[in-house]
Amino acid sequence: MDLKEIMQQQVFAVAGDTLREEKYAYKIKQGLLEHGYTVHAVGKELASFNDITSDIDIIDLCINPVRGLALLRECKKPFKCIVIQPGAESDELLAYLNEKRLPYMQGCVLVGLSLYAKDKPKKA
């Protein structure tokens, strides 16, 4: 999937610190919510992707690569693609994804929102 296709999906699982405003995971979560996407936060709010009760379209890694890899290794939920945000990648993570043939791309969901969001932002 490319970034345009990713932004046409509906359910995102954002892994990272989604509770502190200065963190990118928080900004991504808020941006997705403002554009009408369904968002589940893993790391600070949920402990695992497996704690999400609905289906997942996109996993967005905005987290330390060691922690991101651990979350993916334990993930039993199906998903369509993983987005690896800048700084969330590592050689070990990429090797694991390639070995398991898991679909991923390196990119930025905030850029995706600015270019390809499904709808206009909702006003508060």
Side-chain angles (χ1 to χ4, degrees), residues 61-119:
L61 296 180
C62 191
I63 195 167
N64 176 291
V66 173
R67 183 71 182 119
L69 179 56
L71 286 168
L72 290 175
R73 282 191 167 139
E74 70 179 26
C75 181
K76 305 278 189 256
K77 304 259 324 166
F79 56 86
K80 295 177 183 173
C81 192
I82 299 164
V83 177
I84 305 168
Q85 296 287 143
E89 76 283 346
S90 71
D91 290 342
E92 187 179 8
L93 174 66
L94 297 177
Y96 174 79
L97 296 175
N98 289 323
E99 175 190 326
K100 298 295 182 183
R101 298 178 185 238
L102 296 172
Y104 73 92
M105 69 158 296
Q106 292 179 269
C108 180
V109 170
L110 290 175
V111 171
L113 282 170
S114 69
L115 296 174
Y116 308 117
K118 290 184 357 177
D119 61 8

Side-chain angles (χ1 to χ4, degrees), residues 1-73:
M1 285 188 150
D2 63 21
L3 197 53
K4 186 173 184 177
E5 292 172 296
I6 283 169
M7 298 317 300
Q8 298 311 302
Q9 304 304 309
Q10 180 58 40
V11 181
F12 284 72
V14 178
D17 186 344
T18 54
L19 298 177
R20 292 192 297 165
E21 290 183 26
E22 69 273 11
K23 296 294 191 174
Y24 277 102
Y26 175 90
K27 294 172 185 178
I28 290 165
K29 176 186 168 188
Q30 292 308 120
L32 288 166
L33 288 171
E34 288 170 12
H35 283 277
Y37 294 91
T38 302
V39 184
H40 301 279
V42 176
K44 296 287 185 179
E45 296 179 59
L46 296 172
S48 168
F49 296 119
N50 300 322
D51 293 338
I52 299 169
T53 56
S54 68
D55 289 340
I56 302 169
D57 293 323
I58 304 299
I59 291 176
D60 182 44
L61 296 180
C62 191
I63 195 167
N64 176 291
V66 173
R67 183 71 182 119
L69 179 56
L71 286 168
L72 290 175
R73 282 191 167 139

